[in-house]
């Protein structure tokens, strides 16, 4: 039974309401993890999603952050946040749920602002805390997928200008090391299972015609535990929503798994 999981930083579900719903109607992923919804839970357009056949779980806050999971199959065992006041104080950034025996997380990793700043140090600590959270909750869970905007590119293939970005928060060596440590413990980058070449990105700055010139970074992922990754039949990035009027600066990333 195939299960397609998508992840998309919509950069405000209010601003991207019509684009997001049209994309869901056209593409029908089984599960979509959203980030930067930027609305409180009671403002999220749950009825519109339900109208397309999606069950919805949300963890929101006003004007910033916010994550959601929508699924064509029932969401069970929904878990919100870290249950850790220090890291939950960083905002609504972690949401988990089960879908047909697959545990799925939608996460929005802090940007970090400036390398060496307190915000950047928190970004590194946040990734480490998330790794421990997943280990504590799920261990070597057979079917685990962690999706979202990680605000870190993996290697030079994922960055249009590595020389420039190596000093920035999205590609600094310490951020890449933190992401590598996070993944090495539990997870596989499903996109890299199927694509070796570079130049395929999930985020482009709004400025300087970056999308038109394909000056982007791949910082959004559908990660999977090793047993689930072995069932990954395809993974891809859909650039079409980034071509729309008033788009998010991110575009959806997807992976399909052949479940028993």
């Amino acid at each position: 039974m195939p299960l397609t999981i998508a992840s998309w930083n919509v950069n405000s579900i209010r601003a991207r309401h019509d684009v997001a719903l049209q994309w869901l109607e056209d593409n029908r992923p089984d599960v979509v993890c959203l980030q930067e919804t930027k609305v409180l839970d009671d403002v999220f357009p749950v009825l519109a999603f339900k109208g397309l056949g999606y069950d919805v779980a949300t963890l929101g806050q006003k004007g910033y952050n916010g994550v959601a999971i929508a699924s064509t199959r029932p969401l069970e065992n929904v878990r919100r946040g870290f249950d850790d006041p220090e890291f939950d104080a960083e905002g609504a950034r972690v949401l988990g749920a089960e879908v047909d025996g697959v545990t799925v997380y939608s996460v929005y990793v802090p940007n970090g602002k400036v390398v060496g700043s307190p915000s950047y140090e928190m970004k590194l600590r946040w990734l480490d805390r998330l790794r421990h959270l997943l280990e504590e909750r799920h261990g070597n869970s057979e079917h685990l997928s962690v999706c979202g905007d990680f605000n870190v590119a993996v290697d030079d293939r994922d960055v249009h200008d590595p020389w420039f970005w190596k000093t920035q928060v999205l590609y600094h060596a310490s951020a890449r090391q933190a992401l590598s440590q996070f993944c090495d413990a539990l997870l596989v980058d499903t996109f890299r299972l199927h694509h070796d070449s570079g130049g395929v990105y999930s985020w482009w700055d709004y400025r300087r015609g970056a999308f038109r010139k394909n000056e982007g970074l791949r910082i959004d992922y559908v990660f999977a535990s090793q047993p689930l990754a072995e069932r990954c039949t395809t993974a891809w990035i859909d650039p079409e929503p980034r071509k729309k009027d008033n788009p998010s600066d991110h575009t959806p990333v997807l992976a399909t798994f052949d479940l028993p």
Side-chain angles (χ1 to χ4, degrees), residues 42 72 76 99 101 112 115 147 166 177:
D42 60 359
T72 58
E76 300 177 327
V99 181
V115 173
C147 310
K166 69 181 181 180
Q177 181 181 17

Side-chain angles (χ1 to χ4, degrees), residues 11-14 16 35-40 60-67:
N11 192 13
S12 173
I13 192 61
R14 280 177 165 172
R16 252 55 74 178
Q35 300 87 40
E36 275 203 281
T37 55
K38 297 183 177 181
V39 293
L40 293 169
Q61 68 182 89
K62 185 176 181 180
Y64 299 93
N65 305 320
V67 285

Side-chain angles (χ1 to χ4, degrees), residues 84-91:
D84 182 324
E86 180 185 7
F87 290 90
D88 284 330
E90 290 299 303

